[in-house]
Amino acid sequence: KQSGRNTACYFDPEMQQHIENALLLEEDLHRDQALGFQQLELYYQPQVDVFGKVQSVEALIRWQHPVRGTVSPLEFIPMIEKNGQILAVGLWVIRQACAQLLLWAQHPKTAHLTLAVNVSAKQLADPSFVDQITQILYDTGARPELLKIELTESSVVENVEQAIKTMQALRALGLELSMDDFGTGYSSLSYLKRLPLSQLKIDQAFVRDLESQADSLAIVQTIIAMAKTLKLKVVAEGVETLGQKECLAMQGCELYQGFYFSRPLTVADFELYLNVQDA
Ligand code: C2E
Ligand code: MG
Ligand code: MG
Ligand code: MG
């Protein structure tokens, strides 16, 4: 009772529960790492062109926890970024993605698909990152030009010079580079011009308010115009309605990703989605 204000939170049962959960997850992930990431799974969300044809896919990680069910990456990625496990998990994601590309290369319906993976700041800053990707491409035999790396502005601005070097090395390998959540970060034109990107992803916040807020429409128009000037492709994420898609198409957006087309799917469901599209 005599302890100060600062310790009050230790007795807040909700906070206590939250901390315990986080610790438990962390322990579980350590154990799982020993098992070879058996509880981790990639989900796939289609990116479609203006005709609705799937051109590309984003891999999104899920943790199938035996007791807690599916754990969102929003919950466990920040945790493993702090404790360093992101490096091993990140490599697992890329290896898994490349193996999937190789499977898709064998079927005419999937051979054209490019596959995007998310990479966090810690991975981009890891001096062995490029060598490790080179090794994975070599081991799996996946075509590098079908692999796309999604970065965020915050992971680049931490150390712009180093990030540019790494990005150039990845481009030299043949990979595509996409700037995720674009418009929410720093977006300084002067450094954007220097980044060897192939694509910008319009953040879902702007897509959400596209039809209701003039500001968002103006931002989307600016991003698309900027992308065209810099010769970058544009993907809109978080497309949930036909209205949003049509509005984006009117502005010249070429690729769309969002619940309106499909949620992220297991690989089996994704392949069903492709077949349904054909029917
Ligand atoms: P992100 O890369 O920006 O991925 C887009 C997120 O938006 C995904 O959430 C996706 O499920 C969600 N989304 C897609 N379409 C819609 C829509 O129409 N409406 C709404 N409301 N949401 C939509 P998810 O799968 O929960 O992933 C969250 C974030 O976790 C990702 O954001 C990414 O930053 C991170 N993440 C996911 N997988 C990985 C990974 O393998 N490695 C790393 N480092 N981060 C990952
Ligand atoms: Mg992404
Ligand atoms: Mg995003
Ligand atoms: Mg996001």
Side-chain angles (χ1 to χ4, degrees), residues 39-72:
Q39 292 166 11
L40 299 181
E41 186 177 3
L42 292 185
Y43 272 50
Y44 298 90
Q45 189 176 31
Q47 297 176 339
V48 308
D49 64 18
V50 71
F51 306 109
K53 184 173 189 251
V54 182
Q55 298 292 357
S56 193
V57 193
E58 180 174 7
L60 294 157
I61 199 168
R62 300 288 182 264
W63 182 5
Q64 311 293 3
H65 192 278
V67 177
R68 302 181 52 178
T70 305
V71 185
S72 156

Side-chain angles (χ1 to χ4, degrees), residues 47 58-60 116-119 150-152 178-181 201 237 257:
Q47 297 176 339
E58 180 174 7
L60 294 157
V117 295
N118 293 282
V119 157
E150 291 194 5
L151 308 162
T152 57
S178 179
M179 185 62 89
D180 207 347
D181 304 342
K201 289 189 84 171
E237 66 178 3
Q257 176 181 353

Side-chain angles (χ1 to χ4, degrees), residues 43-116:
Y43 272 50
Y44 298 90
Q45 189 176 31
Q47 297 176 339
V48 308
D49 64 18
V50 71
F51 306 109
K53 184 173 189 251
V54 182
Q55 298 292 357
S56 193
V57 193
E58 180 174 7
L60 294 157
I61 199 168
R62 300 288 182 264
W63 182 5
Q64 311 293 3
H65 192 278
V67 177
R68 302 181 52 178
T70 305
V71 185
S72 156
L74 295 173
E75 197 176 340
F76 74 90
I77 293 284
M79 211 161 68
I80 64 174
E81 274 171 346
K82 268 198 212 95
N83 72 14
Q85 283 176 296
I86 186 67
L87 293 181
V89 170
L91 287 174
W92 177 87
V93 168
I94 293 168
R95 191 170 283 277
Q96 195 71 16
C98 285
Q100 190 58 60
L101 275 175
L102 203 72
L103 289 173
W104 284 340
Q106 285 152 25
H107 298 281
K109 271 185 199 168
T110 49
H112 68 287
L113 294 174
T114 58
L115 180 51

Side-chain angles (χ1 to χ4, degrees), residues 12-31:
D12 176 343
E14 206 175 305
M15 178 67 84
Q16 182 72 26
Q17 189 60 48
H18 189 74
I19 293 168
E20 270 168 20
N21 277 345
L23 289 174
L24 267 176
L25 278 170
E26 212 165 317
E27 251 171 54
D28 287 358
L29 202 59
H30 265 294
R31 235 194 322 273

Side-chain angles (χ1 to χ4, degrees), residues 9 33 63 85 101 108 113 153 188 192 272:
C9 65
Q33 198 166 349
W63 182 5
Q85 283 176 296
L101 275 175
L113 294 174
E153 289 170 81
S188 147
L192 188 65
L272 278 178

